[in-house]
Structure formats: structure tokens, C-alpha cells
Amino acid sequence: MYKRQVKYHIQILETQKKIDVYKDSGKIRYFQNNSMYGEREKKVLVASQSITNQRIISEILNGKCNTNLDLAREIGVSRGTISWYMKNLKEIGLIKEAKRGRNIIYKINISYKNLVERYR
């Protein structure tokens, strides 16, 4: 019953253009519709909601870890888990990768760096 009530009120807010709907990886997020957030900011804010994303981004920004193995060790998760998160971060454009020998080095996309630092 509550779900229907929430959906009803969200539809009213959408109709009145008071909220902006942002779809990401099968999830729907809502932002206040006052042009306060651009598309890039929305991507950074949505990515920042995940603690693992926060930790990955923080380690890369701090320059401590920038490979899959280093990130996995530092954060305490498997390399497969890091790969999954990195795939998602690359898809939205926050992370760039470069091959250095046999390693893949991760960096924050320069066009998002200021936003990432602001919302971290």
C-alpha cells in the first residue's frame, strides 16, 4: 500500500516538474528539479552513494592504489569485485584506464576530477 502512495506522490512531483528522474543501471534516482545538478554531477553523486565506490575513488585520488590488485588488497575485497565496480565506474565515465606493461592503471577522468573531489 505504501509503495502505491509513494509512486502516486512521485508522479505528482514529476508532473509538476519539481523533481528530475535519473535512471542509472536499472535504478531510478530523483533530484530536485531546479537545474542545481548537471548530468555530470548526478553521475558523481550517484556513484558516491556506494561505500565501495567511495573507497576506490578515494584510493585512486590519494595516489595510493591504482591497479586492480592494489585496490583489492587495500579495500579488502576480491579482484573480481574491484573489476565489477571499475566496469561500472568506467561505463559512466568517472574512471579511465591505461595499460602499463601487463598492468591496467586506473585514473580519475580529468573531466570529472573537480566534481569527484568536491563531492567526496
Side-chain angles (χ1 to χ4, degrees):
M1 179 162 151
Y2 293 115
K3 274 186 169 182
R4 281 186 276 157
Q5 289 175 340
V6 169
K7 282 184 179 183
Y8 170 78
H9 289 288
I10 286 174
Q11 286 176 339
I12 288 174
L13 291 170
E14 280 183 79
T15 303
Q16 294 175 353
K17 307 256 188 247
K18 297 205 179 217
I19 59 172
D20 185 28
V21 179
Y22 180 80
K23 295 180 181 180
D24 172 61
S25 302
K27 294 182 181 179
I28 300 174
R29 315 278 183 173
Y30 299 97
F31 289 89
Q32 184 177 353
N33 191 11
N34 62 3
S35 300
M36 183 174 165
Y37 302 109
E39 282 299 308
R40 288 175 182 245
E41 286 178 299
K42 290 176 187 176
K43 286 181 181 183
V44 171
L45 288 168
V46 168
S48 297
Q49 290 180 341
S50 161
I51 292 171
T52 304
N53 279 344
Q54 288 175 14
R55 293 187 68 200
I56 288 170
I57 290 167
S58 180
E59 292 299 330
I60 293 171
L61 279 174
N62 292 338
K64 291 182 182 178
C65 303
N66 61 1
T67 66
N68 186 297
L69 181 60
D70 290 341
L71 289 165
R73 285 181 180 158
E74 186 67 29
I75 295 171
V77 297
S78 72
R79 292 174 71 185
T81 298
I82 294 295
S83 293
W84 186 86
Y85 279 94
M86 294 311 264
K87 177 182 166 262
N88 293 326
L89 290 169
K90 287 186 299 184
E91 281 178 6
I92 61 174
L94 263 68
I95 298 290
K96 293 280 187 182
E97 67 179 26
K99 289 197 176 199
R100 190 175 299 154
R102 294 179 59 192
N103 291 324
I104 295 175
I105 307 300
Y106 298 111
K107 295 181 180 182
I108 303 297
N109 184 338
I110 193 74
S111 64
Y112 285 95
K113 193 165 184 176
N114 290 336
L115 290 172
V116 167
E117 289 174 342
R118 183 186 321 161
Y119 292 113
R120 113 175 154 152

